[in-house]
Amino acid sequence: FKRFMKCHDYININQPTHYDPECYLIDEQMFRGSWMSWYQQSTILLDSNEEEYQQSGLCDCFRPSQFIPKQTYENRYVKRSTRFGETNLIYLQNFVNLIRLNQEYPPFTPFMPTKKRCKPGECGSGNRTNAFEGDLNATLWNMLPRLNTTHAFINLGWEHAARFQQQSDFSCVIRDFERHFPDIKLFLISHPPTTNDLDDPVHHFDATKLKCDANVLDRTIVNKNVPKEWYWDTQHVLSILNEEYNHQMVEKICPLKGQEYNSSSRARSKE
């Protein structure tokens, strides 16, 4: 995904004619079309048939013309096959601690195409059957094992809808889940602070004050005192920070030998 990260930087230096088509993957506004068109084109762009690997993606996606979280869906399933094996990357959209999974998509239906499956951008309420609907807790216990998950980076949705106390309490759910499913590693992923909080980002998320010991991908402290120019609006960051987040995510999944559970990869409980 590193090659996609340049796209928003182009916006800041006013080079719209230099956009790479793959930039559509991270900014639907660059497509200058409908959300449906963006879902369809971004899904096509995730397909690849290179010599080194073959990749394909599914998009259980829909967004109404007037954005309403409970009527919006974006669940992505990406499968990559190489000579070393197969990797599956799954994104389940969660705005307000509510996740819905379509019965015509994994894990309820095989990855291969089916006649009943809705097309990207057309998977709205009138064109889908939810085989699962639940909060993050229910998703962990009921869906992650069925999706053959090895690592999951999770949060309760928008930060204004899930304050730090709720996230802190949820760290105990993570602890209990990992005790029951030791082969699935969970990471509570914090939100980047807004540009107004860059001087003191921990006032809204402090990984050292979680109620229970839990793995954390902390995007909050990383942004302390970074330039506001590293954001493309007050909440969304540019490639320079996204690249750092991605490096940290890879290090969590494939840590250097002897560093899997050092102090930088696991928050320390105050209890």
Side-chain angles (χ1 to χ4, degrees):
F1 291 103
K2 183 175 180 179
R3 68 181 184 273
F4 306 141
M5 293 182 181
K6 60 183 177 290
C7 304
H8 272 304
D9 290 348
Y10 285 162
I11 296 175
N12 275 10
I13 58 176
N14 299 316
Q15 292 183 329
T17 58
H18 294 176
Y19 286 159
D20 186 316
E22 290 176 335
C23 294
Y24 298 148
L25 285 167
I26 63 170
D27 186 358
E28 79 288 344
Q29 295 178 2
M30 291 168 56
F31 187 72
R32 300 188 183 281
S34 65
W35 274 96
M36 180 183 295
S37 298
W38 181 74
Y39 288 136
Q40 293 170 351
Q41 293 301 313
S42 60
T43 302
I44 292 171
L45 287 168
L46 281 169
D47 289 346
S48 181
N49 191 23
E50 304 291 337
E51 181 177 351
E52 296 83 3
Y53 66 88
Q54 293 77 47
Q55 179 173 293
S56 58
L58 304 176
C59 182
D60 173 22
C61 304
F62 173 79
R63 180 178 292 220
S65 55
Q66 181 177 354
F67 174 62
I68 302 173
K70 290 187 177 182
Q71 295 180 14
T72 301
Y73 304 85
E74 186 175 353
N75 300 321
R76 300 268 188 168
Y77 306 83
V78 179
K79 183 184 295 290
R80 175 178 288 197
S81 299
T82 73
R83 62 189 179 93
F84 300 106
E86 184 176 275
T87 301
N88 292 284
L89 179 65
I90 298 173
Y91 167 77
L92 304 179
Q93 189 174 73
N94 181 18
F95 291 129
V96 289
N97 199 19
L98 176 64
I99 298 168
R100 287 80 48 85
L101 301 185
N102 193 328
Q103 73 172 12
E104 297 301 327
Y105 284 79
F108 307 103
T109 302
F111 187 90
M112 300 302 294
T114 70
K115 293 181 179 180
K116 294 183 178 180
R117 182 174 292 158
C118 53
K119 297 179 181 179
E122 299 180 3
C123 300
S125 299
N127 197 27
R128 66 183 294 119
T129 299
N130 289 330
F132 170 82
E133 183 171 338
D135 61 11
L136 179 58
N137 185 44
T139 305
L140 297 185
W141 291 92
N142 295 291
M143 292 295 104
L144 259 59
R146 294 189 62 175
L147 289 165
N148 297 318
T149 306
T150 59
H151 300 77
F153 296 84
I154 61 175
N155 62 44
L156 292 164
W158 284 331
E159 192 170 45
H160 69 265
R163 298 297 185 182
F164 179 74
Q165 186 58 55
Q166 292 174 263
Q167 298 177 67
S168 179
D169 291 343
F170 202 81
S171 66
C172 299
V173 175
I174 292 174
R175 179 199 61 188
D176 295 342
F177 179 90
E178 287 192 328
R179 288 175 178 173
H180 193 80
F181 293 101
D183 293 332
I184 302 178
K185 301 302 179 187
L186 300 184
F187 299 82
L188 183 63
I189 181 169
S190 65
H191 295 275
T194 68
T195 53
N196 293 328
D197 295 324
L198 293 176
D199 59 336
D200 185 26
V202 297
H203 85 272
H204 68 103
F205 184 92
D206 187 343
T208 67
K209 295 181 178 180
L210 294 175
K211 186 175 181 179
C212 293
D213 194 23
N215 291 311
V216 178
L217 177 61
D218 190 357
R219 296 185 296 175
T220 303
I221 194 63
V222 171
N223 290 30
K224 183 176 175 62
N225 292 325
V226 302
K228 291 184 178 181
E229 290 74 21
W230 289 7
Y231 283 67
W232 62 273
D233 63 16
T234 60
Q235 294 182 308
H236 298 90
V237 302
L238 287 166
S239 64
I240 190 169
L241 287 169
N242 273 321
E243 185 169 3
E244 174 60 22
Y245 302 154
N246 283 355
H247 281 313
Q248 292 196 15
M249 184 176 290
V250 170
E251 288 171 3
K252 303 293 187 186
I253 297 173
C254 301
L256 296 175
K257 186 177 181 180
Q259 295 187 3
E260 183 172 1
Y261 292 108
N262 63 18
S263 59
S264 65
S265 65
R266 182 176 282 271
R268 298 301 179 183
S269 172
K270 291 297 184 178
E271 293 185 331

